[in-house]
């Protein structure tokens, strides 16, 4: 079900929206007008919020929710919808059922990033009812003390407890990684760990991620390709994370192109608040700097245009994978991403061999030595 704008936004015939499939004639069937489309998007999000019981009862204090934003259309659209919902509650009942803390992670020390200060000011002015905070990616080292210290790809000065400035610490760590895919992977992991640490510090019960169906499909296949297929339930589904904070994806039933259309239709539009995002359609597949995430973004970016059901099927299939209950996850966690190791496995040591209680004695390693999942070990070891 698509809006008129989403159906024929790019191609036109005689100045009118063209058929999304043949591109040769005008669109003849419009499923929704603009107001109904906006209502459709908001309803999808609100139903997901309600199903996860994010709203506190009137007898309880408002729940505290952390909403990380990247100044993309998905996270800002989610903020807009929740802000509207809270305004409606305030007008009807005089109180809020939940409170939102908006968080932005400054990744300029690790990756190219547009200037965000002006946009950040506009966002705070437009959605003034919420709390706001900024953290730098290198702040993760205020919380992380368990990165492996004996991997051959790491300079011991990086993780050996020196007094390096945090930014230099981060730059050294990322430069020690063997590939562009590894660096992108580790930036994502450090960002995720920083978000969950800050959520715990700020007393937030839930983290609301703005990931669309398209983004979750990309993550499902990219994490599988990188060796973390067993962690898909914790990376893409609503539920309790191993970090003790519940993760919720309210936009998971919406395609990226639907959210982009919605961002243009809001009053006023959200598009002036969007930072320039790297386009997956411009990825050069032969480039040595092309990552697995880039390739998956390019693939699903093209698939969602004509075959959106394929994207939705990937996410629906992955959602059937259920994370084991906490009482059955008494095993160890990966020392890098902090996701559970595969059952019956002690993880990978820095020799690159699969760990086991017996095997560690042969290697002269302690059973309590840092162990990593296959995905993290391959990302951090030189080939």
């Amino acid at each position: 079900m698509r809006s008129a704008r989403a159906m024929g936004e790019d191609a036109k015939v005689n100045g009118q929206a063209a058929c999304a499939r043949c591109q040769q004639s005008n669109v003849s069937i419009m499923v929704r007008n603009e107001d109904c489309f906006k209502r459709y998007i908001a309803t999808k999000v609100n139903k997901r919020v309600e199903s996860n019981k994010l709203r506190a009862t009137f007898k309880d204090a408002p729940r505290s929710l952390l909403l990380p934003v990247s100044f993309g259309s998905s996270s800002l659209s989610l903020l807009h919808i929740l802000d509207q919902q809270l305004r409606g509650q305030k007008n009807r009942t005089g109180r809020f059922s939940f409170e939102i803390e908006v968080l932005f992670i400054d990744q300029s020390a690790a990756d190219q990033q547009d200037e965000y200060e002006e946009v950040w000011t506009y966002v705070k002015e437009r959605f003034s009812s919420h709390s706001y905070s900024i953290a730098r990616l290198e702040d993760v080292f205020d919380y992380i003390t368990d990165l492996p210290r004996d991997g051959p790809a790491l300079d011991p000065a990086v993780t050996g407890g020196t007094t390096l400035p945090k930014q230099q610490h981060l730059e050294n760590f990322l430069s020690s990684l063997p590939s562009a895919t590894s660096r992108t992977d580790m930036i994502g992991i450090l960002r995720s760990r920083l978000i969950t640490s800050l959520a715990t510090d700020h007393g937030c019960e839930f983290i609301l991620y703005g990931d669309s169906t398209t983004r979750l499909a990309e993550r499902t296949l990219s994490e599988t390709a990188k060796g973390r297929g067993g962690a898909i339930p914790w990376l893409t589904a609503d539920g309790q994370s191993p970090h003790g904070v519940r993760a919720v994806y309210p936009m998971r039933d919406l395609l990226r192109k639907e959210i982009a259309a919605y961002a243009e239709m809001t009053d006023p539009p959200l598009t002036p608040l969007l930072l320039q995002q790297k386009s997956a359609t411009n990825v050069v597949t032969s480039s040595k700097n092309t990552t697995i995430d880039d390739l998956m973004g390019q693939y699903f970016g093209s698939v969602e245009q004509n075959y959106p059901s394929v994207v939705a099927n990937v996410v629906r299939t992955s959602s059937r994978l259920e994370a084991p209950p906490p009482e059955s996850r008494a095993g160890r966690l990966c020392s890098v991403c902090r996701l559970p190791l595969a059952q019956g496995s002690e993880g990978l040591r820095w020799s690159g061999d699969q760990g086991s209680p017996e095997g560690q004695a042969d290697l002269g390693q302690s059973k309590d030595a840092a162990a990593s999942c296959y995905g993290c070990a391959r990302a951090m070891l030189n080939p």
Side-chain angles (χ1 to χ4, degrees), residues 24-337:
Q24 296 176 1
S25 59
N26 295 335
V27 169
S28 57
I29 299 176
M30 299 292 184
V31 179
R32 289 186 176 90
N33 64 28
E34 193 164 294
D35 288 339
C36 291
F37 179 72
K38 290 191 291 185
R39 193 176 303 116
Y40 160 77
I41 297 291
T43 299
K44 284 280 190 180
V45 174
N46 290 333
K47 284 184 176 179
R48 182 64 62 174
V49 169
E50 291 173 0
S51 67
N52 282 278
K53 301 179 180 179
L54 301 188
R55 297 178 180 177
T57 64
F58 289 108
K59 298 179 181 179
D60 300 325
R63 295 184 184 276
S64 181
L65 314 179
L66 184 69
L67 172 55
V69 297
S70 61
F71 299 120
S73 57
S74 294
S75 57
L76 287 182
S77 293
L78 177 57
L79 175 59
H80 175 80
I81 292 170
L82 294 177
D83 181 75
Q84 285 189 319
Q85 186 182 43
L86 288 177
R87 288 176 185 271
Q89 286 182 7
K90 183 69 172 178
N91 292 335
R92 292 192 306 270
T93 66
R95 69 184 300 275
F96 296 138
S97 61
F98 54 84
E99 298 173 341
I100 300 174
E101 177 164 345
V102 182
L103 171 67
F104 176 70
I105 304 295
D106 181 351
Q107 299 181 189
S108 56
D111 202 359
Q112 293 182 351
Q113 180 175 274
D114 291 341
E115 295 294 330
Y116 62 85
E117 288 82 2
E118 185 176 0
V119 175
W120 180 247
T121 300
Y122 289 153
V123 169
K124 290 196 293 184
E125 291 176 353
R126 179 164 172 176
F127 306 105
S128 57
S129 302
H130 316 297
S131 302
Y132 291 84
S133 59
I134 294 178
R136 299 185 180 277
L137 184 62
E138 55 266 32
D139 292 339
V140 71
F141 293 110
D142 291 336
Y143 302 94
I144 287 184
T145 59
D146 52 4
L147 278 177
R149 301 184 180 186
D150 54 352
L154 295 178
D155 182 346
V158 174
T159 55
T162 66
T163 57
L164 283 176
K166 289 184 291 186
Q167 182 173 339
Q168 186 64 47
H169 190 159
L170 177 65
E171 292 173 356
N172 287 1
F173 173 68
L174 294 177
S175 64
S176 73
L177 300 174
S179 68
T181 292
S182 297
R183 287 188 286 275
T184 301
D185 193 26
M186 284 300 134
I187 289 172
I189 288 172
L190 294 178
R191 184 177 188 275
S192 177
R193 292 193 62 177
L194 178 57
I195 290 172
T196 53
S197 297
L198 291 172
T200 302
D201 268 7
H202 297 174
C204 298
E205 300 177 60
F206 298 86
I207 303 176
L208 305 186
Y209 292 102
D211 296 348
S212 63
T213 297
T214 313
R215 180 70 187 97
L216 293 176
E218 294 169 7
R219 182 178 300 152
T220 297
L221 294 196
S222 65
E223 293 298 332
T224 301
K226 288 183 283 190
R228 295 194 192 89
I232 292 300
W234 291 282
L235 295 171
T236 63
D238 297 345
Q240 193 75 15
S241 74
H243 310 287
V245 183
R246 188 175 178 86
V248 179
Y249 299 87
M251 312 288 277
R252 65 179 298 115
D253 297 324
L254 298 166
L255 295 169
R256 179 181 289 141
K257 62 180 180 179
E258 292 177 318
I259 299 171
Y262 177 84
E264 295 181 2
M265 297 178 189
T266 59
D267 184 22
L270 293 169
T271 46
L273 304 179
L274 304 182
L275 288 184
Q276 185 67 33
Q277 303 289 317
K278 181 173 66 173
S279 174
T281 59
N282 297 326
V283 171
V284 179
T285 56
S286 60
S287 171
K288 67 178 182 179
N289 292 323
T290 300
T291 68
I292 291 176
D293 300 273
D294 291 335
L295 294 176
M296 291 302 168
Q298 182 184 47
Y299 171 71
F300 282 106
S302 61
V303 167
E304 81 163 354
Q305 296 303 318
N306 297 319
Y307 306 100
S309 61
V310 173
V311 182
N313 283 339
V314 172
V315 177
R316 279 197 294 265
T317 301
S318 67
S319 66
R320 295 174 185 171
L321 302 173
E322 295 183 0
E327 58 271 15
S328 67
R329 287 193 263 117
R332 304 177 65 188
L333 301 178
C334 171
S335 60
V336 181
C337 66

